[in-house]
Amino acid sequence: MPDLSQVIPRTAFPHDVLRAALDALEAGRRVVLASVVARHGSAPSTPGQKLCLFDDLTAIGTIGGGAVERAALGIMGRALDELASAPKLETFRLGPTLGMCCGGSVEVLIEPMLPAVHVLVIGAGHVGAFAGPLLASLGFRVTLCDTRAAAADPARVPTAALARAPSAYDDAPRDLAPAPGEQVRLVLAEHDDPEVLTGLPRELGEAAALVMTHDHALDQEALAWALARGFGYVGGVGSRAKAARTRARLEAKGVAEGDVARVRMPVGLDIGARTPAEIGVALAAELVAWRAGRQRARWSSAGTTSAGEEQAG
């Protein structure tokens, strides 16, 4: 458990605490938010006060300071370490246990918050065009990229909006993040272009990359890139035979054996999927399981049966 005894939160108004928490979540960081919901008797806390603890063990806001705040920070630190922690209502009695003599009590709601999982879908072919909106509907933050203008057409991808870098004649500021209400961010670019990376969190250990381009050589390049960038989940669409060849070629390129073993290919749960829509459902189901912390090895010597025959392009 982290030692939070020396943490002194930066003073901020409740709305600024909420803004800081949202900014951290958007950047892919975990936070725990504490909110005073009730005060009984004499106590320094005021309903509505907020305190946020970030994953780097810094904090902002206040729920009254002193012993109450130190006790709350201890509980928040434990919640930060436990990904599956549920919101809980804590009652702090301001008596001898906390070394206080106010005599009142404070009720504080403590909420662990996980950032939305970002998914980079590399390839906007048949499967990608279906999988992107499906994943977004399940709460993932989706960036979908393709180098082909015809594939990266928003008309093919429901709820998508095309992100682009401004030209030399465009005076608008460069902003490639999704606009409010957009679910899928569609980019006409290579997977490693700045336009693509702008929409992803700085730390990629809790992000996913799904590779499903129209070209096998490009698939291998994209998989090797995703492993090198440190994506927490790396999956590829393809047959079992393609998976075996891809594994051999990644190893021949010098990709570490442990990294090669991280690749889920064929990606998706084994539900007998054949059509692009069915394959999208299968891979979305596996990503939901991964997001919930139920990761398991996907690449065995026996060649795990899964969804995703040659349907990507």
Side-chain angles (χ1 to χ4, degrees), residues 191-207:
H191 56 271
D192 57 351
D193 281 353
E195 292 86 349
V196 173
L197 297 174
T198 297
L200 300 175
R202 290 187 298 272
E203 299 295 330
L204 296 173
E206 294 184 5

Side-chain angles (χ1 to χ4, degrees), residues 1-28:
M1 176 185 167
D3 179 14
L4 299 172
S5 61
Q6 302 303 312
V7 172
I8 300 178
R10 177 164 60 87
T11 303
F13 291 109
H15 61 274
D16 291 321
V17 175
L18 288 175
R19 185 176 295 113
L22 288 173
D23 287 345
L25 290 169
E26 286 294 322

Side-chain angles (χ1 to χ4, degrees), residues 5 34 41 43 62 65 91 116 119 134 148-149 193 213 230 232 260 268 278 300 309 311:
S5 61
T62 183
T91 299
V119 180
L134 175 59
R148 302 168 295 171
D193 281 353
T213 79
V260 173
E278 291 171 345
S300 68
E309 297 296 319
Q311 292 277 353

Side-chain angles (χ1 to χ4, degrees), residues 128-214:
F130 181 87
L134 175 59
L135 288 167
S137 73
L138 294 169
F140 293 93
R141 293 290 301 272
V142 180
T143 296
L144 176 60
C145 69
D146 204 298
T147 58
R148 302 168 295 171
D153 181 353
R156 296 184 59 253
V157 185
T159 75
L162 185 64
R164 62 181 179 85
S167 71
Y169 304 100
D170 190 347
D171 294 328
R174 179 173 174 177
D175 182 5
L176 299 173
E182 293 173 9
Q183 292 183 319
V184 178
R185 181 173 169 272
L186 184 60
V187 189
L188 174 60
E190 297 277 1
H191 56 271
D192 57 351
D193 281 353
E195 292 86 349
V196 173
L197 297 174
T198 297
L200 300 175
R202 290 187 298 272
E203 299 295 330
L204 296 173
E206 294 184 5
L210 296 175
V211 178
M212 52 192 77
T213 79
H214 58 288

